[in-house]
Amino acid sequence: MSLLDGETAVVTGGTSGIGRAIAEMFADHGASVVVADRREEPREGGAPTHEFLEERGAEATFVQCDVSDYDDCVAAVDAADEFGGLDVMVNNAGIVGPQVPLTELDFDDYRTLMSVNVDGVFHGSKAAALKLVERGAGGSIVNMSSVAGFVGYGGITPYSAAKGGVRLFTYALASELGPEGVRVNAVHPGVIETAMTTEDSPIVGTEAGEQLEQSVPLRRFGKPEDVAGVVTFLASDLASYVTAESVLVDGGYVNSE
């Protein structure tokens, strides 16, 4: 069953990790994909995402995009015109930032985190909303938040604030765009096995990580495709009456605490 036949999607942060998995699953379900990222080479190695998709017979292209720059997000959305115009926007790009107490956090590092995690969602959503409303054919925006958007975690206070902001931004934008037929939802992953959780913010494979993993009801950390499946559902007509919603993809961790 192809859920996205004839659709065109932009995925920010689509080169690596969760973004790459989303792009792959979208293509598997018939979508054309614009991979928008600062870097073309996947952090996991292998062929660039858009080339990998093309080798599998999908329509795909890469656009260099820094989501903290509104013009870059506009360019990514405009690139969807090559495949018939934007239908789905996935604001996936994000960073964790320094893991230090707030009293030790440099303001420049704080602003960098916010410029990607909050401003990036604003820029991508605005660029997408303008295009989707102009087309008048509905559409879907999916914003990537985190379990930290539900629970405040000490040591990553700005990250928690940013992801909580994404959650409420999503609800408000869903209210604005609902009359236009555009759905807006948020996805909140728990610990997912990517370079972010093995290198940037190491937890997978550590002793602390093993203890945390045993507190997850499903007794495992997530895979990028676990998140991609939920995003694909939200992007598709199967979710045609779902908007202003948050979906936890955390193996049951938050709601079992």
Side-chain angles (χ1 to χ4, degrees), residues 91-170:
N91 291 306
N92 167 73
I95 58 175
V96 175
Q99 297 181 70
V100 296
L102 186 67
T103 53
E104 299 175 15
L105 183 68
D106 184 82
F107 182 73
D108 288 340
D109 290 334
Y110 166 80
R111 279 307 320 154
T112 297
L113 184 146
M114 289 296 177
S115 72
V116 175
N117 291 355
V118 179
D119 298 352
V121 172
F122 166 80
H123 293 323
S125 294
K126 181 178 178 179
L130 287 168
K131 185 72 72 169
L132 292 172
V133 170
E134 179 185 1
R135 291 190 69 198
S140 174
I141 298 173
V142 182
N143 296 323
M144 196 62 63
S145 182
S146 164
V147 291
F150 274 88
V151 181
Y153 292 106
I156 54 170
T157 297
Y159 181 80
S160 295
K163 292 304 185 178
V166 169
R167 178 162 61 100
L168 291 181
F169 176 90
T170 296

Side-chain angles (χ1 to χ4, degrees), residues 30-52:
S32 303
V33 182
V34 176
V35 178
D37 208 318
R38 293 183 64 179
R39 54 182 290 164
E40 187 172 351
E41 301 299 323
R43 296 184 66 181
E44 304 88 351
T49 300
H50 69 291
E51 293 181 3
F52 176 71

Side-chain angles (χ1 to χ4, degrees), residues 209-231:
E210 291 175 1
Q211 295 175 355
L212 176 61
E213 192 170 22
Q214 290 308 303
S215 67
V216 176
L218 290 182
R219 296 296 189 270
R220 69 175 179 87
F221 290 142
K223 303 290 188 183
E225 53 267 30
D226 293 322
V227 182
V230 174
V231 175

